[in-house]
Amino acid sequence: MSGAIWRVATCALLAAFATTTLAFADDTDPGRKQFLTSCGTCHTTDKDGGNRQGPNLFSVYGRKAGTLEGFAYSDTLKAGGWVWDETTLDVWITDAQAAHPGTVMNYRQANPDKRKLVIQYLKSLSAQN
Ligand code: HEC
């Protein structure tokens, strides 16, 4: 239990830190901006950026869930057999715990405009693969 509390506290701290530093990044694309704000604490979309607390999302669009090599996914995400597209991503980031109960991604976003921005951004990266 204390481990979980520590993780939440660390995450809050990282989120505060990321918001401060990323505000100075030269990122004018609104989708990328939203991504950095909402997801950047735990994920990167840099092609060679590796995994953070969450897996690298450079090539996530069109990828089967839970299949990036070198990342230790939860069983629930792997067992779901999802493929990441506009619909599944939207359900997932609306409330990750509801989409895959027991997942280690603690995230939800109630604002459909913000979700859409992030999803369009992730989709745009798939064209660069
Ligand atoms: C607090 C950290 C955290 C935040 C914030 C977060 N994620 Fe995650 N994400 C994770 C973790 C941890 C996993 C692995 C989940 C599992 O294995 O159950 C994950 C997994 C994922 C996956 C599955 C990838 C794959 O390879 O199957 C997607 C897609 C994803 N996150 C998208 C997002 C998006 C988009 C956002 C922002 C809107 C976001 N995440 C915000 C931690 C986070």
Side-chain angles (χ1 to χ4, degrees), residues 15-123:
F17 179 68
T19 312
T20 319
T21 47
L22 293 173
F24 297 101
D26 181 24
D27 292 302
T28 48
D29 174 66
R32 179 165 168 80
K33 259 191 184 154
Q34 190 62 54
F35 173 83
L36 292 173
T37 306
S38 300
C39 329
T41 320
C42 303
H43 294 281
T44 179
T45 50
D46 295 344
K47 194 173 182 181
D48 303 315
N51 301 319
R52 294 187 180 173
Q53 187 180 332
N56 188 296
L57 295 183
F58 174 72
S59 60
V60 75
Y61 196 90
R63 183 163 89 201
K64 194 172 174 212
T67 56
L68 189 68
E69 221 166 283
F71 187 83
Y73 293 95
S74 66
D75 289 339
T76 177
L77 187 65
K78 283 190 288 191
W82 287 22
V83 174
W84 297 118
D85 60 18
E86 288 185 18
T87 309
T88 49
L89 280 169
D90 195 56
V91 173
W92 174 240
I93 63 177
T94 298
D95 187 343
Q97 294 288 333
H100 288 291
T103 177
V104 286
M105 173 161 141
N106 273 309
Y107 184 83
R108 70 175 81 149
Q109 176 55 262
N111 183 325
D113 296 332
K114 291 184 178 174
R115 294 200 305 268
K116 194 168 176 191
L117 272 174
V118 169
I119 292 166
Q120 289 310 315
Y121 168 66
L122 293 175
K123 191 177 177 183

